[in-house]
Amino acid sequence: MAAPALRTFSADEVAQHNKKGDVWIIIDSNVYDISRFANLHPGGSGVLLTANIAGKDATDAFFALHRHEVLLRPQYARLRIGTIAGEEPVLKTLAAGLSQVPYAEPSWLARGYFTAYYNDSHRRFQQAMRQFAVDVIKPDAIKCEDNGKRLSQDVLEKLCEMNIPAMRLGPGKHLKGLTLMGGVITPEEFDYFHELIIHFELCRFGTRGYSDGLLSGNVIGLSPVLNYASPELYARIVPDVFAGKKFICLAISEAFAGSDVAGLQTTAVRDGDEWVITGTKKWITNGAFADYFTVGCRSDGGYVVVVVPRSDAVSTKAIKTAYSSTAGTAYVTFDDVRVPVANTLGKVGQGMQVILSNFNHERWMINCMSLSAQRVVVEECLKWVNQREVFGKKLSAQAVVRAKLANMIARVEAGQNWLESVTYQMNHMSYSEQSDKLAGQIALLKQFITSTGRATAEDATQIFGGRGITAGGMGKLIENYHRTSPYDAILGGAEDVLGDLGVRQAIRKIPKGARL
């Protein structure tokens, strides 16, 4: 059935519909007939029948209480019956375009700004990723963040069709022969700035649990396979993971050993051509649905990392945490699991090297994800202070609020510049050089970005007030970020531990003859 044609009205015509059972309002030059909806309004019909709402231009009142997206929902969009003659909407739906709010985008995407790091391939790639994220990822992210279920099969297939899981592991031979984002760029063009763009675009929706559920386990669990697996093991695992047929996760943390990786107690005992693995792992991202586990163990020959397929001897139990269970966070038990020695990554006794070198890319990824979410919070706050009125003035008129915004902007811009500097170095270093030269800097960068993120979460909550602690409505993105930003501070290594790591590495590199 076709929707009825929209009519044109004058403000005087709308004003005649101002009583119970016959209520029209104007929102941004559009006319809505809310007569039947009034009794269904969550705040009660009385709110809509007040003298400054019924039959009036309710634009300011509406946007003081609702997000623009509310008007786009089908159940509310159908209440629109026409427009006001001679008026045009002021608010534009940007869809997948770039925001024009200052500091809402990194400077390289801001109109009139320049960059030393990004080129035309990055711009093409960003546009394609933004469109894909808005059209494909965002609806699923919002749904799964709420219901706690794993990302949908349809989204998984589209991710793999674009080869996004492969690209999230950085540039390298694993991309050879693949068509990236439908051919927007070639594998030869792809670098760490393209990967940075992926992480930024996937984490803009205030759905932190889903961001991890979007196969972050693959990113951190498959990387050691790419770098240390035998050709046979590589061929058996990597293609299926890239195709979305199998999932893998990294299983290092234990109840006994979190940031203290050397304290892990899971054991691998050699029995002929097999390892017998016994122990438990905790807080394992994507562990609830993983098919393979990249497991750190102790052995008689020292630390070892082994890929363990899911079997009857492997059990997983979901862990309830502060963010959505869509992340698949799990407690994993290995009960005398027999695994071929051929599943070993690297050499026996060098497992700690495998684990620690893998942390660099994981922590860099967390930096990207955290900074992307932090920038969205800055944009939300800038929009809010420009539309919210308190004490007869816009919230932006309050000096204390502007001071908070100044700090928020400084944090996110400082983090962005440091992150891009590190990413540039990654583009020009081998995997081993990154481990030697960047491990400490990436650790310090993560400490900085996650600590400033939590400071921004506190400031944003103060700016939004009660809305900032409400899981829905105007402050829903602020509430989610305030609740989940501590994850960035813990996952991949706690802030204090990483700060100490960065300083210790710096001290080790001080020349022996250096003196004041």
Side-chain angles (χ1 to χ4, degrees):
M1 182 177 177
L6 295 177
R7 295 173 55 194
T8 300
F9 303 97
S10 67
D12 289 339
E13 287 179 284
V14 175
Q16 296 173 23
H17 301 270
N18 62 358
K19 55 185 178 296
K20 189 173 183 179
D22 182 20
V23 186
W24 293 6
I25 59 173
I26 303 168
I27 301 177
D28 193 28
S29 82
N30 291 299
V31 180
Y32 294 83
D33 182 351
I34 58 172
S35 304
R36 295 183 179 180
F37 167 74
N39 289 330
L40 302 175
H41 186 257
S45 62
V47 175
L48 304 177
L49 295 173
T50 58
N52 63 328
I53 300 293
K56 300 291 179 61
D57 188 329
T59 302
D60 290 342
F62 178 86
F63 285 107
L65 299 169
H66 306 87
R67 301 179 68 88
H68 188 204
E69 64 203 47
V70 171
L71 296 175
L72 306 180
R73 294 174 187 168
Q75 65 268 40
Y76 302 130
R78 66 170 177 254
L79 301 178
R80 180 170 172 248
I81 60 172
T83 60
I84 295 297
E87 293 188 10
E88 293 290 333
V90 175
L91 300 164
K92 305 292 184 184
T93 302
L94 292 176
L98 296 175
S99 174
Q100 300 304 311
V101 175
Y103 305 105
E105 306 281 4
S107 63
W108 74 277
L109 292 174
R111 184 180 299 170
Y113 282 73
F114 303 91
T115 175
Y117 298 128
Y118 301 89
N119 56 39
D120 287 343
S121 76
H122 297 112
R123 295 187 186 280
R124 294 195 309 271
F125 188 75
Q126 186 277 330
Q127 289 172 4
M129 269 305 307
R130 176 69 60 92
Q131 191 73 55
F132 181 88
V134 170
D135 293 346
V136 177
I137 301 298
K138 185 177 181 179
D140 197 54
I142 294 171
K143 180 180 69 175
C144 292
E145 185 79 8
D146 184 49
N147 64 29
K149 295 181 180 179
R150 199 188 79 192
L151 80 159
S152 70
Q153 183 64 29
D154 178 61
V155 169
L156 173 62
E157 291 172 0
K158 290 177 180 176
L159 283 165
C160 295
E161 181 183 348
M162 295 292 108
N163 282 307
I164 290 173
M167 290 189 286
R168 292 183 72 190
L169 286 148
K173 62 183 180 181
H174 61 282
L175 298 180
K176 186 176 180 179
L178 299 182
T179 301
L180 309 183
M181 285 306 292
V184 170
I185 60 167
T186 66
E188 292 73 25
E189 290 177 295
F190 190 86
D191 64 17
Y192 283 110
F193 281 108
H194 292 99
E195 187 192 348
L196 177 151
I197 290 167
I198 295 174
H199 298 310
F200 265 65
E201 295 302 328
L202 295 180
C203 298
R204 300 179 63 254
F205 309 123
T207 52
R208 184 62 183 85
Y210 184 86
S211 295
D212 277 349
L214 200 62
L215 307 183
S216 286
N218 281 5
V219 181
I220 60 179
L222 193 61
S223 183
V225 177
L226 294 184
N227 289 290
Y228 294 100
S230 67
E232 295 77 19
L233 185 61
Y234 183 107
R236 190 164 74 246
I237 294 176
V238 174
D240 280 351
V241 173
F242 282 171
K245 297 177 181 178
K246 299 287 185 180
F247 304 115
I248 191 170
C249 67
L250 183 68
I252 302 297
S253 297
E254 302 179 357
F256 314 100
S259 296
D260 176 21
V261 177
L264 58 84
Q265 297 184 20
T266 296
T267 59
V269 178
R270 184 76 178 261
D271 184 12
D273 292 333
E274 293 183 317
W275 290 112
V276 180
I277 296 177
T278 305
T280 59
K281 299 292 181 178
K282 195 171 185 181
W283 306 292
I284 305 306
T285 301
N286 299 176
F289 52 80
D291 300 291
Y292 296 107
F293 303 81
T294 302
V295 186
C297 311
R298 287 179 177 271
S299 75
D300 288 340
Y303 294 104
V304 64
V305 178
V306 183
V307 177
V308 180
R310 186 181 283 273
S311 67
D312 291 341
V314 179
S315 61
T316 58
K317 181 173 65 175
I319 298 177
K320 183 174 176 57
T321 67
Y323 74 175
S324 174
S325 57
T326 187
T329 309
Y331 184 86
V332 186
T333 301
F334 302 100
D335 188 8
D336 293 337
V337 184
R338 289 188 170 271
V339 183
V341 170
N343 281 24
T344 305
L345 300 178
K347 297 179 180 179
V348 176
Q350 295 182 3
M352 193 56 65
Q353 176 185 338
V354 175
I355 294 170
L356 295 181
S357 63
N358 187 59
F359 276 141
N360 294 325
H361 184 264
E362 175 184 1
R363 290 164 181 162
W364 175 83
M365 175 187 72
I366 294 171
N367 285 333
C368 295
M369 297 169 67
S370 180
L371 198 60
S372 174
Q374 190 177 154
R375 191 173 286 281
V376 169
V377 168
V378 172
E379 179 184 14
E380 290 283 296
C381 289
L382 286 167
K383 288 179 178 178
W384 179 239
V385 302
N386 199 45
Q387 70 188 70
R388 172 65 167 164
E389 291 192 1
V390 292
F391 306 113
K393 299 179 181 179
K394 285 187 177 181
L395 194 56
S396 59
Q398 305 295 327
V400 66
V401 171
R402 296 196 301 273
K404 289 183 184 297
L405 288 169
N407 288 330
M408 294 166 71
I409 292 167
R411 293 175 197 130
V412 76
E413 289 300 317
Q416 185 84 35
N417 280 276
W418 192 356
L419 175 62
E420 289 177 350
S421 173
V422 167
T423 304
Y424 181 81
Q425 299 305 321
M426 290 169 64
N427 273 344
H428 293 82
M429 292 184 185
S430 66
Y431 191 75
S432 59
E433 286 176 320
Q434 290 178 29
S435 297
D436 175 52
K437 295 182 171 65
L438 294 182
Q441 191 165 164
I442 290 173
L444 289 169
L445 174 59
K446 182 175 180 296
Q447 181 194 43
F448 177 78
I449 287 178
T450 61
S451 61
T452 58
R454 286 183 294 115
T456 288
E458 289 295 333
D459 284 343
T461 303
Q462 290 298 315
I463 289 173
F464 270 78
R467 292 172 175 83
I469 55 173
T470 303
M474 302 295 285
K476 65 179 183 179
L477 301 187
I478 307 304
E479 186 279 330
N480 186 283
Y481 187 69
H482 187 268
R483 173 165 45 87
T484 62
S485 57
Y487 280 78
D488 298 328
I490 299 300
L491 301 181
E495 286 176 0
D496 291 341
V497 174
L498 295 190
D500 183 62
L501 167 64
V503 173
R504 283 190 290 108
Q505 291 215 351
I507 289 174
R508 278 203 299 270
K509 292 181 180 295
I510 295 176
K512 291 184 179 180
R515 296 290 186 275
L516 293 176

